[in-house]
Amino acid sequence: MSDSASRFPSRKLRYYTLRNIEKHRLWNSIPAETREAIRVVGQVLPFRVNDYVLDQLIDWSAIPDDPIYRLVFPQPGMLSDGDYRRVAEALQRHAPADELKRVVHEIRQTLNPNPAGQMELNVPLVEGNPIPGIQHKYHETVLFFPSAGQTCHAYCTFCFRWPQFVGESDYRFAARETDDLVAYLAGQPQVSDVLVTGGDPLVMSTDVLRRYLQPLLDAKPEWPSTIRIGSKALAYWPARFVTDADADDLLRFFEEIVASGRNLAFMAHFNHYTELSTPIVLEAIRRIRSTGAMIRTQSPVVRHINDSAEVWRRLWSESIKHGMVPYYMFVERDTGARNYFSLPLARAWEIFREAASGVSGLARTVRGPSMSTTAGKVEILGPAYIGEERVLVLRFLQGRNPEWTYRPFFAHYDEEATWLSELKPAQNAERFFFEDELQSMIDSDNR
Ligand SMILES: *Cc1c(COP(=O)(O)O)cnc(C)c1O
Ligand code: SF4
């Protein structure tokens, strides 16, 4: 496999953050007021990028509108005017470090750092003790967060896990080893999928990744039947699969998982077709597929970055062309700089419908704009009428109660709503059909 790698010069992964971005040769090509905005917003929200993204993905002649630039560089509109001025003012007068820290912390607390009850709900117990590093919300699929995989090769400005990258959450999700996972799964025979996630688990070396996963693979033959790896490394650091020192070993590990009789599902996070435009990412895709792994693609729909049907149409058709299966379009979660990034549910659905109308059926595997809410994953099926009332039709793709799966339900049409919580039930109903049951599940879970 290394022969293909020799076509690509090996690159060292170099990160840039607020601390050293000024040393990058491109820094001075950014207009001065934009540089200030990066420094101000970057105090509050995470910022990390690398040479590959800077040199090969961003079109510097198109900044500040370039979508990849907006994907990784803090944007002035990500903070409210008042918050922005507070931070800018503190920086200008060189406020003492602990004052700046307090201002920043206060602002972060107003950005809903813990959406959808992730911390309280979904963490399984063994003998009454919560198991760190595991989330189990839907029967068949368990999420596993190895502690060594809780960063990324670059940070997305819209990321819903932003609190963990700025030290506002204590990585309570993160697992140090796999023993707890194996012990927990022993009592969960209905689980078919273990989804390894982060951050990005592929920031780990292959050795470390093996250390986490091998005990699970050894515990029982051919079970769990699917290992999913959620990663943005194809977009942010494709060298991981081509020229990194342990790239070949990573692919060998993928082959071993497949040879063990399991399905290896690579859940690739791509936001924009530009991320599919370099020779090395295409080589990385080819190499991953050659191991027998299946790549699926997913992304949130995000204002200022990919809120156009044409972007999605190209993203999906190019995914298909390179042998990847479009899987999810997500709705941006209700956290962080969502005022800047979110768009109305009705608009997200229009983008989805229009993009889908321009691709063949092979790309229409993708599930429409979906919200990961406390109740479950809710897909927007689109607007319709019940008699005279305009409604938005929704359904659960995953429910906290599996009985909710695929049940359509109706909200009163609201052109502005950006999240399920802003929608009201149609027909003047008091509540959506699942709400009483959800509340009693939450109450019984409050331990
Ligand atoms: C999306 C998600 C899953 C996986 O759902 P699929 O529809 O099987 O892809 C599992 N757990 C959580 C918490 C999720 O948000
Ligand atoms: S790759 Fe995923 S976890 Fe990492 S910053 Fe982007 S959205 Fe967040």
Side-chain angles (χ1 to χ4, degrees), residues 315-327:
L315 178 60
W316 292 337
S317 54
E318 285 180 30
S319 296
I320 290 289
K321 176 174 159 190
H322 299 296
M324 303 185 289
V325 179
Y327 187 50

Side-chain angles (χ1 to χ4, degrees), residues 103-290:
V103 168
V104 163
H105 176 74
E106 280 171 22
I107 294 171
R108 286 175 183 160
Q109 289 306 306
T110 66
L111 299 177
N112 189 22
N114 178 24
Q118 303 234 30
M119 284 296 198
E120 301 78 27
L121 300 168
N122 315 331
V123 178
L125 305 177
V126 164
E127 293 168 3
N129 298 314
I131 317 179
I134 303 177
Q135 257 190 65
H136 193 185
K137 182 165 174 182
Y138 310 128
H139 282 205
E140 289 77 17
T141 305
V142 163
L143 272 46
F144 180 49
F145 298 79
S147 63
Q150 297 309 308
T151 60
C152 303
H153 295 100
Y155 290 143
C156 310
T157 39
F158 60 75
C159 180
F160 76 101
R161 296 208 194 283
W162 65 271
Q164 80 178 40
F165 303 138
V166 295
E168 289 284 332
S169 88
D170 53 2
Y171 284 37
R172 259 162 72 188
F173 288 153
R176 273 183 309 265
E177 15 76 353
T178 311
D179 297 1
D180 286 340
L181 175 69
V182 171
Y184 173 70
L185 287 180
Q188 304 287 328
Q190 85 290 358
V191 169
S192 57
D193 296 29
V194 169
L195 169 51
V196 188
T197 183
D200 190 331
L202 295 181
V203 298
M204 296 190 277
S205 69
T206 308
D207 277 350
V208 173
L209 184 68
R210 277 180 190 272
R211 228 172 291 149
Y212 277 108
L213 291 188
Q214 201 64 52
L216 176 66
L217 301 174
D218 292 343
K220 247 190 194 185
E222 299 188 22
W223 188 85
S225 54
T226 289
I227 303 290
R228 296 198 213 181
I229 298 180
S231 173
K232 197 165 164 66
L234 271 171
Y236 280 160
W237 189 247
R240 181 73 194 86
F241 311 95
V242 183
T243 56
D244 275 8
D246 61 351
D248 287 354
D249 192 32
L250 180 65
L251 298 183
R252 221 168 295 129
F253 185 45
F254 285 2
E255 284 170 353
E256 287 165 27
I257 296 174
V258 174
S260 75
R262 293 174 174 93
N263 174 33
L264 178 58
F266 191 108
M267 314 303 288
H269 178 186
F270 286 111
N271 304 112
H272 195 279
Y273 59 77
T274 299
E275 295 165 327
L276 291 172
S277 67
T278 66
I280 194 169
V281 70
L282 300 185
E283 176 63 7
I285 292 166
R286 193 192 67 73
R287 296 186 110 215
I288 293 169
R289 292 184 63 222
S290 77

